[in-house]
Structures are given as C-alpha cells and as structure tokens.
Amino acid sequence: MNTGGDYKRRHAIPPEKGSFPLDHYADCKQAMEGYSKCMAENGSHASHCKVQLKQYLQCRMNKDLMAKEDLREFGLSDDDTQRQQ
C-alpha cells in the first residue's frame, strides 16, 4: 500500500513580481473583461490588447490591488498604447 511517502517534494517558486490580492469586490471587473474579450477576439495575441492591458493594470494599481509600478516594467510604453487607440 502506497502511503504517498515515495514522492519527491517540490519547492514552490514564487512569482517574479510577488503575489497580489484577488479582486474580491470586482473593482476592476470591467477592465478585466475588456482585456479578456480583446484576447479572445485576437487569438490570444497580447500585442493586440496593450490598451486593455494597460487599463486593467492601471485599475489594479489605483485600487491598491497591486504595487504601483511604471507600466514600462510590464513592456507597455505610452507609444505602444497610443498607436492602438
């Protein structure tokens, strides 16, 4: 009978940017849905959805659901998002 003692323990690797709270109150639901819709409409090509991603990340930062960071740290520049509008 196997009691599970023969498996190898794996060490969890934390995310590069750390963890952040879930959006329990749906403060950024509209922005998240806009990004999800854009991804679905564009075959999951994130490069087509930079405007929506920027809106979502900005919402999370404004609502203190993640640390405030320059969006360039996420590969988003003002130039990238302005070209798509």
Side-chain angles (χ1 to χ4, degrees):
M1 180 176 174
N2 186 352
T3 60
D6 59 347
Y7 68 91
K8 292 183 180 183
R9 286 200 161 203
R10 297 179 192 252
H11 295 284
I13 299 171
E16 185 177 313
K17 295 282 185 182
S19 61
F20 51 86
L22 297 176
D23 188 3
H24 292 288
Y25 300 107
D27 292 327
C28 297
K29 184 177 181 177
Q30 185 177 7
M32 181 271 302
E33 288 175 341
Y35 178 66
S36 295
K37 181 180 176 186
C38 180
M39 290 290 284
E41 291 173 350
N42 289 287
S44 296
H45 293 285
S47 62
H48 298 291
C49 302
K50 289 184 178 184
V51 171
Q52 292 81 0
L53 178 57
K54 183 178 179 180
Q55 291 169 346
Y56 177 58
L57 293 173
Q58 196 64 58
C59 179
R60 290 192 60 87
M61 287 186 261
N62 291 343
K63 302 287 184 177
D64 293 324
L65 293 170
M66 65 183 287
K68 290 178 174 48
E69 281 192 56
D70 189 325
L71 291 174
R72 288 177 285 195
E73 295 294 319
F74 296 98
L76 298 169
S77 69
D78 290 336
D79 188 46
D80 287 335
T81 56
Q82 287 173 356
R83 273 188 268 144
Q84 295 181 27
Q85 292 178 350

